[in-house]
Amino acid sequence: MISFSLAGKTALVTGANTGIGQAIAVALGGAGAHVIAAGRSSCAETVAQIASAEAAQMDFADPHAAADLLGSRQVDILVNNAGIIRRADSVDFTEADWDDVIDVNLKALFFTCQAFGKAVLARGGTGKIVNIASLLSFQGGIRVPSYTASKHGVAGLTKLLANEWAVHGINVNAIAPGYIATNNTDALRADPDRNKAILDRIPAGRWGSADDIAGAAVFLASDAAQYVHGAVLNVDGGWLAR
């Protein structure tokens, strides 16, 4: 099992204050990594659950929020989890809601990957990037136009960066979570009709938990995934297979 160990590695996890990001940060720490838990709000709760960790205040409305850290410290693993969602009918969707979501979910993700890649290439090392995509990297969804566009973009950028950087020893992959019980899905779970429709479609018969994503992230961040490049791994209870 040594190939799954992250001992001696440093991992930056964005949006690590709660939900999927918190679960991934805790799992990476459990596999031996030193974790930098970054978020717009306090990550103290996350850090308290990890043997070797620190918090970093970052607001990814600024696409270069992580550039200074990535340029000044050796980070071996980058997990781009920070993201937001806005819901409205497409005929009512505002330009502000479009821009806010695209800036955090796609623009900041690219420039964070760019800063990480520059640093790894400059030191002649290797690295792992795990982007958090979505089922809406493959499907259209309902009432979330900017989120859908951003997550399609995340899948595309994951493949593009893998094409450019695989030869340099940087693995770039993504996880596409299914319907996970987090703050982002509160509105769906609170709607009885939508909740039932979603559950009826999931072969596993339940909403996922943030912990369901964590094991996949450890795998993609580890040496066990050395020959995995440009993959978008669905962790969805079978949703896309239905």
Side-chain angles (χ1 to χ4, degrees):
M1 298 300 290
I2 191 66
S3 62
F4 290 91
S5 172
L6 303 180
K9 305 292 186 182
T10 296
L12 170 63
V13 182
T14 73
N17 54 302
T18 188
I20 290 173
Q22 182 177 79
I24 290 174
V26 171
L28 295 180
H34 174 75
V35 177
I36 304 170
R40 182 174 55 187
S41 56
S42 173
C43 292
E45 180 183 295
T46 303
V47 168
Q49 300 177 57
I50 304 170
S52 177
E54 62 188 280
Q57 198 83 14
M58 294 182 190
D59 184 351
F60 287 92
D62 172 7
H64 302 285
D68 287 346
L69 185 149
L70 290 169
S72 61
R73 296 182 58 177
Q74 178 169 327
V75 175
D76 309 288
I77 300 161
L78 169 63
V79 180
N80 282 306
N81 170 74
I84 61 174
I85 193 168
R86 302 283 169 78
R87 288 182 164 80
D89 289 342
S90 292
V91 293
D92 300 319
F93 210 80
T94 67
E95 185 175 357
D97 282 346
W98 177 272
D99 289 345
D100 288 349
V101 172
I102 295 295
D103 283 353
V104 173
N105 293 11
L106 189 59
K107 185 175 181 179
L109 178 142
F110 173 75
F111 284 106
T112 305
C113 286
Q114 182 190 71
F116 177 85
K118 282 182 177 179
V120 173
L121 293 172
R123 67 175 181 260
T126 60
K128 307 280 188 180
I129 296 176
V130 181
N131 294 323
I132 302 303
S134 169
L135 292 183
L136 298 189
S137 297
F138 308 100
Q139 300 178 321
I142 300 170
R143 304 184 74 246
V144 285
S146 57
Y147 185 85
T148 298
S150 73
K151 292 303 183 178
H152 271 67
V154 168
L157 286 176
T158 297
K159 296 168 187 176
L160 175 138
L161 293 173
N163 289 340
E164 293 191 20
W165 293 346
V167 71
H168 299 294
I170 302 174
N171 296 72
V172 187
N173 295 290
I175 297 170
Y179 284 91
I180 308 298
T182 66
N183 295 338
N184 275 355
T185 58
D186 281 346
L188 296 178
R189 287 180 287 120
D191 181 329
D193 292 335
R194 289 284 286 132
N195 185 58
K196 182 179 186 304
I198 288 166
L199 285 174
D200 286 347
R201 165 74 186 267
I202 300 172
R206 65 173 177 86
W207 284 75
S209 72
D211 288 338
D212 289 322
I213 310 303
V218 171
F219 164 64
L220 291 175
S222 75
D223 287 345
Q226 284 292 73
Y227 200 58
V228 182
H229 295 278
V232 182
L233 175 59
N234 309 321
V235 183
D236 62 359
W239 173 277
L240 287 177
R242 186 65 177 264

